[in-house]
Amino acid sequence: MVSEWALDPDAALMVKVCSGHEPSFETLLARHRSQVVNHLYRLVRNRAIAEELSQDVFLRVYRFRNRYQPEAKFSTWLFRITTNVALNWRRDTRRETAHLRLDAGLPHDPRRIQVPDQTLRADQQLLAEYHAKEIRAAIESLPGKQLAAVLMHKYEGMDYASIAEVLDCSIPALKSLLFRAYETLRRRLAHFAPPSIT
């Protein structure tokens, strides 16, 4: 009978990593690094910090390689580690990010530079940028687990079962978490809805 992890090539590589096979770890790193960095970036909103945290993620993957169970899908296990690293960083730096920086909105901030859409008038462009900034701020203000759930659901396209496994909760608990997150976003962004016709 074919073992479950044989169906997941990454799980097979991770089993080799558990036995000390360095090339398999390098292959996993090459395959998943950009996905990990992108997920971290969505959670921490800073590319340099996401790059730095990705090193911590893969260090933990290697350090805890013997805890990996081949029955678990490798990507789910990796997302759990990645999400925990990001949520820990957010929790530990919450005090620092609570203070507004005076230069946060200046154009030299590479995270805020956007190529303008030439088809829009200047006032339309400003309004679109304002709305995008407001939506990002609303999403980023969600509590850590809600933020992670929304990002995995909307940006990573993960199914409920995978997200629940990453966040170590039941599917009903995840649905409740997402419901609360989307309700919060609906309330905070209600002014974007078109006026109802009476």
Side-chain angles (χ1 to χ4, degrees), residues 124-140:
Q124 292 172 319
Q125 180 65 30
L126 287 172
L127 188 60
E129 287 175 5
Y130 174 77
H131 286 169
K133 183 179 177 183
E134 198 169 344
I135 291 167
R136 266 196 312 272
I139 292 171
E140 289 171 17

Side-chain angles (χ1 to χ4, degrees), residues 15-162:
V15 168
K16 289 182 181 178
V17 171
C18 292
S19 64
H21 191 252
E22 296 287 332
S24 293
F25 181 72
E26 290 169 12
T27 301
L28 285 172
L29 180 65
R31 280 188 189 174
H32 295 280
R33 186 178 182 286
S34 63
Q35 186 181 22
V36 165
V37 170
N38 288 337
H39 186 58
L40 288 166
Y41 174 70
R42 289 185 188 109
L43 286 163
V44 303
R45 301 305 298 169
N46 181 304
R47 182 63 63 180
I49 290 171
E51 294 278 350
E52 185 179 318
L53 291 177
S54 73
Q55 294 175 16
D56 187 30
V57 167
F58 284 103
L59 183 64
R60 288 176 189 223
V61 166
Y62 192 78
R63 187 184 309 146
F64 301 128
R65 64 191 180 277
N66 293 327
R67 293 186 191 176
Y68 176 72
Q69 299 297 316
E71 308 87 52
K73 192 173 177 188
F74 175 76
S75 60
T76 302
W77 188 68
L78 179 62
F79 262 96
R80 178 180 294 161
I81 293 171
T82 303
T83 301
N84 286 340
V85 165
L87 293 181
N88 288 343
W89 179 87
R90 285 173 60 90
R91 184 195 64 227
D92 295 344
T93 57
R94 182 160 290 171
R95 239 175 306 141
E96 294 173 25
T97 57
H99 301 288
L100 293 176
R101 288 181 34 179
L102 294 177
D103 62 348
L106 294 179
H108 73 272
D109 184 350
R111 294 174 296 149
R112 301 193 187 276
I113 295 175
Q114 295 183 8
V115 178
D117 183 351
Q118 298 300 324
T119 61
L120 296 179
R121 294 188 323 255
D123 61 331
Q124 292 172 319
Q125 180 65 30
L126 287 172
L127 188 60
E129 287 175 5
Y130 174 77
H131 286 169
K133 183 179 177 183
E134 198 169 344
I135 291 167
R136 266 196 312 272
I139 292 171
E140 289 171 17
S141 71
L142 291 171
K145 272 196 167 184
Q146 288 183 22
L147 172 64
V150 166
L151 292 177
M152 284 185 274
H153 184 239
K154 287 295 180 192
Y155 289 94
E156 303 296 339
M158 293 171 68
D159 60 32
Y160 287 153
S162 298

